[in-house]
Amino acid sequence: MRGQYGYKPDLPAIGGSEAVGVVDALGEGVQGVALGQRVAVATAHGTWAEHFIASAGLLVPLPETIGDEAGAQLIAMPLSALMLLEFLEVQRGQWIVQNTANGAVGKTLAMLASARGVHTINLVRRDAGVQELAALGIEHAVSTAQPGWQQQVNAIVGDAPLQAAVDSVGGAASGELLELLGEGGVLVSFGSMTGEPMQIRSGDLIFKQATVKGFWGSVVSARLSVEDKRRLIGELLRLASSGELKLPVEAIYDLADVASAAAASLQPGRKGKILLRP
């Protein structure tokens, strides 16, 4: 909506790229989808509406064990988080660190990593964020508002190196993550909450022999094979059905009140997603 994303639609345009709904009509020759079937979809266009058109190949049938609120946010961010986890190339028992861990992607990444046996250090900017993550069963949360928080991180991981770091903030926070990494570690830029360039020290980059990469889910998703995408979506469905993956909701707004919903989505301290319901 700010015009800062990698894709810009022709205006005027209806917002929204993800939703859950019921199939109301089928195009000619469509197979594998039934009328009345409840499905989730992402990477569609114009989903902030009562009806929209989506490619049949993008639809994900939902089991009854997954409610509409979870289904409406199940694919885009959770799938990006799962692709990100594979992008990091970490193994069971290894450690990663991420900032903005109490954001939607951060929470999801921590839960998905835990399900795979990967340990996460979850950095938050407010002390209250530690309790917020604990309420979801997410461990090893550290508030960067506390002095000496880096020592707290080191105490948690002990002698184990941090293999990878996920930066969603940019600016000085990028350098703080790089400083925590072990030798040969990988720093991945997932976003830039501050809008500032990454500030990293050349000494950390050189002497740690570290790598800095950028992650854009749309590009990574386009490169996935059909089999890998099915495998990842199947993992998300299983974890959401079992309750291992929790997708909290802060509030639900009517489409007619979309301005209030947009304002609510920008409020700090949210504990879940803002949803629209026709």
Side-chain angles (χ1 to χ4, degrees), residues 10-92:
D10 294 329
L11 299 178
I14 298 174
S17 61
E18 184 174 24
V20 65
V22 175
V23 176
D24 191 57
L26 297 175
E28 184 178 351
V30 170
Q31 296 180 341
V33 182
L35 290 175
Q37 191 170 21
R38 192 172 65 105
V39 296
V41 63
T43 64
H45 297 295
T47 64
W48 291 358
E50 294 177 349
H51 295 85
F52 62 91
I53 297 174
S55 170
L58 297 176
L59 302 181
V60 177
L62 290 177
E64 293 183 1
T65 50
I66 299 177
D68 288 348
E69 290 80 5
Q73 52 177 317
L74 179 63
I75 306 301
M77 281 301 183
L79 183 58
S80 288
L82 195 51
M83 291 189 299
L84 174 60
L85 187 57
E86 296 214 333
F87 187 79
L88 299 178
E89 298 183 339
V90 287
Q91 306 299 318
R92 177 177 291 272

Side-chain angles (χ1 to χ4, degrees), residues 124-190:
V124 296
R125 295 182 297 166
R126 301 174 292 109
D127 293 346
V130 175
Q131 288 74 38
E132 183 184 336
L133 293 182
L136 293 172
I138 297 173
E139 300 180 313
H140 310 310
V142 176
S143 171
T144 57
Q146 291 293 319
W149 62 267
Q150 292 93 338
Q151 286 71 35
Q152 189 178 346
V153 171
N154 293 331
I156 293 172
V157 300
D159 294 331
L162 284 161
Q163 301 289 139
V166 179
D167 176 30
S168 298
V169 178
S174 307
E176 292 172 346
L177 289 180
L178 181 58
E179 197 172 325
L180 291 171
L181 281 178
E183 185 176 350
V186 177
L187 173 63
V188 173
S189 175
F190 186 81

